[in-house]
Amino acid sequence: MNMQWLLRSYAYTGRQGTHGWPALEARLDAFAQRIVARAEDPAPCDELLVVAHSSGSIMASIALARALHWVDFTAPADGCCFALTDPVTAAGLPRPRPAHPRLLNPRFASQFSPATYAALVRDRFRLHFQYLMAAERAGDYDYFALTAGPWRLGERCAGRPSIDGYPRFQVLDRWARRLLGPAKPPGPPASP
């Protein structure tokens, strides 16, 4: 079951990255426009959260890059993500503002006993879904407090600097630049 899910996700993401999905691109544009419209709405709004996980965070990153700026939580132990890697600069685009997106580690190891965390790390599929689950101990990262708690995301993450320059995936960045060449700014979508 897990392998089938993983391969379907890879196939879909690969298709999006190489050939695109025109209908999906239109939906992402519309989503980005809705985010901007809601953020600019004069009606009071405590905060605007766009919550995504796994392959959905690729779609959310695309929409957010077209609309606003964000905080990105990724765990180095999660083998299904490019932990603490800025998705904007990794795609070869310039950062719109120096401090965005903020890259934060959820620090799962501090939220579990050593034995429980060791078991969690051995179960890669379970670890990948920990972002959406409760932990044994309270910590800076708490999905339920982040999405439904009394503090805004900015307040909850205040004082936590972005983790820039995390070296784990720098080799992939160098490989991509050699393979793809220098990054080009995005142009208008190709007409059918």
Side-chain angles (χ1 to χ4, degrees):
M1 172 76 172
N2 294 351
M3 185 57 72
Q4 180 185 14
W5 170 82
L6 184 62
L7 290 175
R8 286 180 57 151
S9 180
Y10 281 163
Y12 181 84
T13 304
R15 165 65 196 248
Q16 182 193 2
T18 57
H19 303 295
W21 298 93
L24 177 60
E25 290 300 315
R27 290 181 72 187
L28 288 168
D29 284 338
F31 185 39
Q33 290 169 3
R34 288 182 68 190
I35 293 168
V36 169
R38 185 61 183 122
E40 294 174 348
D41 190 335
C45 177
D46 283 347
E47 77 180 327
L48 177 63
L49 292 178
V50 176
V51 179
H53 175 257
S54 198
S55 298
S57 32
I58 297 168
M59 305 306 139
S61 294
I62 292 168
L64 288 169
R66 295 174 186 180
L68 306 168
H69 312 292
W70 68 93
V71 174
D72 187 50
F73 283 97
T74 51
D78 179 5
C80 292
C81 74
F82 292 95
L84 305 172
T85 300
D86 178 358
V88 175
T89 57
L93 303 172
R95 259 186 169 183
R97 289 189 5 213
H100 291 81
R102 284 181 62 201
L103 309 173
L104 299 179
N105 182 348
R107 299 181 183 149
F108 292 144
S110 68
Q111 297 176 349
F112 293 93
S113 68
T116 302
Y117 184 70
L120 183 64
V121 170
R122 283 191 303 273
D123 186 347
R124 298 258 181 207
F125 192 75
R126 169 66 173 75
L127 177 66
H128 182 60
F129 283 89
Q130 182 56 46
Y131 299 96
L132 307 173
M133 299 178 176
E136 287 178 342
R137 301 177 185 152
D140 288 337
Y141 181 87
D142 178 330
Y143 174 75
F144 302 102
L146 286 168
T147 58
W151 297 329
R152 293 180 179 159
L153 180 64
E155 295 167 343
R156 187 159 183 88
C157 298
R160 290 190 65 190
S162 182
I163 302 172
D164 295 323
Y166 185 70
R168 182 174 176 189
F169 295 105
Q170 287 179 354
V171 68
L172 292 176
D173 184 47
R174 288 191 301 271
W175 174 81
R177 286 185 189 172
R178 271 197 311 266
L179 181 67
L180 303 174
K184 297 175 187 161
S191 57

